[in-house]
Amino acid sequence: MKRSAKISAAVIGTSLLMLSSVPFTASAEAVTSGDYSYELQGADVTIVKYTGEDEEIFIPASLDGNKVTAIGSQAFQMNPDVVSIEVPDGVTKIGDHAFAIDIGLETITLPATVTEIGEKAFEQCTKLKTVNFAGDESAWGAVTIADGNDTLTAITPAYNAALTPQSDDAGAESEASSSEAASSEDASSEEASSEAVSSEEASSAAETSSAVSETTSSAAAATGASSEEPVPQGSGFNIPYVIFGILIGVALIDIIYFSVKKPKNQ
């Protein structure tokens, strides 16, 4: 019994000694900057999640002033709309499943600093057809590529590719994008207002033209009605009636004359 107790105590003590020799590492808290969530280890940034919806992604070289050195596991996984991704200079590691199931991904650009690509980092990226690598062929040969990246390894990279200069602050990029979007919205609003005014003016002009047309039509109808009315016959002289009238007039004058003059002669 005592022997069993001693053995149990020895096992527990050995286990505690082994646990005490394992360094304790506190899990880093994720920080959000623009479309990116990251963990900071010293001055190095590991991107752990991308939440944007861009078709062309240019991963920033630094976030909040800290250099991006790693793409974490599943960080860009399942982004079906993304077409191209550029990883900035300074990144050395791409984690497991980092770009997995990005079914629309066609182009990936990698820096010469990358030395490790994790397991199934490009799993199910069936449309991937272009790999740009900023280093030379020997540098690409030195990159450790884990299993499950057949789509990537089947492509011969374009070596010595130039990387696009990136902003040092994703937040600044986000603000710039927001400002551009706001300017675009203002321009669109002004254009829409201008189109509305033009539409109203055109409508008013059309109504005026319609009114003038109706007035013209009414006038034309009135003119047509007048022209269709029968023209009254002219008041020409009827000669027989004129002669008859003259004779009656002369007879009346004679009667009046003789009736007035006769009493004076008597």
Side-chain angles (χ1 to χ4, degrees):
M1 186 69 177
K2 292 181 179 180
R3 181 181 177 83
S4 299
K6 289 181 180 180
I7 294 174
S8 299
V11 171
I12 293 172
T14 303
S15 300
L16 291 174
L17 181 62
M18 292 176 64
L19 288 173
S20 66
S21 66
V22 177
F24 176 76
T25 303
S27 58
E29 184 179 354
V31 180
T32 300
S33 178
D35 293 332
Y36 300 90
S37 295
Y38 68 90
E39 293 177 354
L40 188 62
Q41 297 176 347
D44 295 335
V45 167
T46 297
I47 294 176
V48 296
K49 187 64 177 176
Y50 172 74
T51 58
E53 298 179 353
D54 294 333
E55 291 185 355
E56 297 182 353
I57 299 176
F58 297 91
I59 300 174
S62 65
L63 291 170
D64 299 328
N66 298 299
K67 190 175 182 62
V68 176
T69 60
I71 307 299
S73 298
Q74 305 177 4
F76 292 83
Q77 181 177 266
M78 296 182 67
N79 281 283
D81 295 329
V82 66
V83 175
S84 67
I85 298 175
E86 181 174 308
V87 180
D89 188 48
V91 171
T92 60
K93 180 180 179 180
I94 295 175
D96 299 342
H97 305 276
F99 304 107
I101 321 179
D102 289 350
I103 57 176
L105 182 63
E106 298 178 359
T107 303
I108 183 72
T109 301
L110 300 171
T113 53
V114 70
T115 59
E116 181 181 349
I117 297 176
E119 184 177 356
K120 298 182 180 180
F122 292 89
E123 181 184 19
Q124 295 186 35
C125 294
T126 55
K127 290 187 177 181
L128 184 64
K129 58 185 178 181
T130 302
V131 177
N132 299 315
F133 182 61
D136 56 20
E137 186 175 357
S138 61
W140 179 251
V143 177
T144 300
I145 303 176
D147 295 337
N149 290 296
D150 296 340
T151 305
L152 177 69
T153 56
I155 301 170
T156 301
Y159 300 113
N160 301 311
L163 299 178
T164 304
Q166 296 298 312
S167 170
D168 289 338
D169 194 338
E173 286 184 349
S174 178
E175 290 179 3
S177 298
S178 299
S179 176
E180 290 177 0
S183 300
S184 178
E185 289 179 359
D186 291 341
S188 298
S189 177
E190 291 178 0
E191 184 177 353
S193 299
S194 176
E195 289 178 356
V197 171
S198 300
S199 177
E200 290 179 359
E201 291 177 350
S203 177
S204 177
E207 290 178 358
T208 303
S209 176
S210 177
V212 171
S213 177
E214 290 178 359
T215 303
T216 305
S217 299
S218 299
T223 304
S226 299
S227 62
E228 290 176 0
E229 291 180 359
V231 179
Q233 296 180 352
S235 56
F237 294 103
N238 193 326
I239 295 176
Y241 284 102
V242 172
I243 295 173
F244 181 73
I246 292 172
L247 291 175
I248 291 175
V250 172
L252 289 173
I253 291 171
D254 288 341
I255 292 171
I256 294 170
Y257 176 78
F258 286 111
S259 64
V260 173
K261 185 177 179 181
K262 187 176 180 178
K264 289 182 180 181
N265 292 332
Q266 291 177 353

